[in-house]
Amino acid sequence: MKKHCENNNARTESQQSICAWAEETFGPVTDPKALWDRAMLEMHELGDAIDQRDLSEIGKEAADVMILLYRLMDQFGLDLGAQCDEKMAINRSRNWQSKGDGTGSHI
């Protein structure tokens, strides 16, 4: 499987544009937990796509999860990109133990 962890900052959508579209399309969020519930459903769909090795569906389902996360973060006045940057600064300062499967935990 190819790795695609290249830095590509040329995006046509942003958290703000996605949240504006979602609110116009679905209305305001009345319960942020509903976004989490839907994201979990999309995660299961992503898992099914991974099991089937369906690259088209993997991309679409991962995007669905990201869209919901953007919207969830927006409900709390948070920027997902900024939160990722802050968390990566923490992650880079930690010591890690690999589990040998592409994941690990900090020690």
Side-chain angles (χ1 to χ4, degrees), residues 19-36:
C19 290
W21 168 83
E23 184 151 334
E24 181 179 309
T25 304
F26 305 116
V29 175
T30 59
D31 179 8
K33 186 79 185 296
L35 297 170
W36 177 85

Side-chain angles (χ1 to χ4, degrees), residues 78-93:
L78 299 170
D79 177 274
L80 184 58
Q83 293 299 310
C84 285
D85 290 347
E86 290 176 24
K87 181 61 177 180
M88 283 306 301
I90 293 167
N91 287 346
R92 290 182 194 285
S93 71

Side-chain angles (χ1 to χ4, degrees), residues 7-106:
N7 187 7
N8 181 0
N9 290 327
R11 303 273 184 246
T12 56
E13 295 285 356
S14 66
Q15 179 171 327
Q16 182 179 4
S17 70
I18 289 169
C19 290
W21 168 83
E23 184 151 334
E24 181 179 309
T25 304
F26 305 116
V29 175
T30 59
D31 179 8
K33 186 79 185 296
L35 297 170
W36 177 85
D37 288 337
R38 183 61 192 214
M40 294 305 294
L41 173 69
E42 297 297 341
M43 284 294 290
H44 287 290
E45 292 178 2
L46 176 56
D48 291 343
I50 291 168
D51 288 343
Q52 296 169 15
R53 301 282 195 242
D54 185 338
L55 297 181
S56 174
E57 287 303 308
I58 290 169
K60 290 174 188 171
E61 297 304 337
D64 283 341
V65 172
M66 192 169 104
I67 290 164
L68 287 155
L69 290 177
Y70 275 145
R71 212 164 174 217
L72 181 61
M73 302 277 36
D74 191 64
Q75 294 304 299
F76 298 99
L78 299 170
D79 177 274
L80 184 58
Q83 293 299 310
C84 285
D85 290 347
E86 290 176 24
K87 181 61 177 180
M88 283 306 301
I90 293 167
N91 287 346
R92 290 182 194 285
S93 71
R94 290 179 165 166
N95 292 316
W96 293 88
Q97 173 138 8
S98 172
K99 292 185 179 179
D101 62 359
T103 68
S105 55
H106 60 89

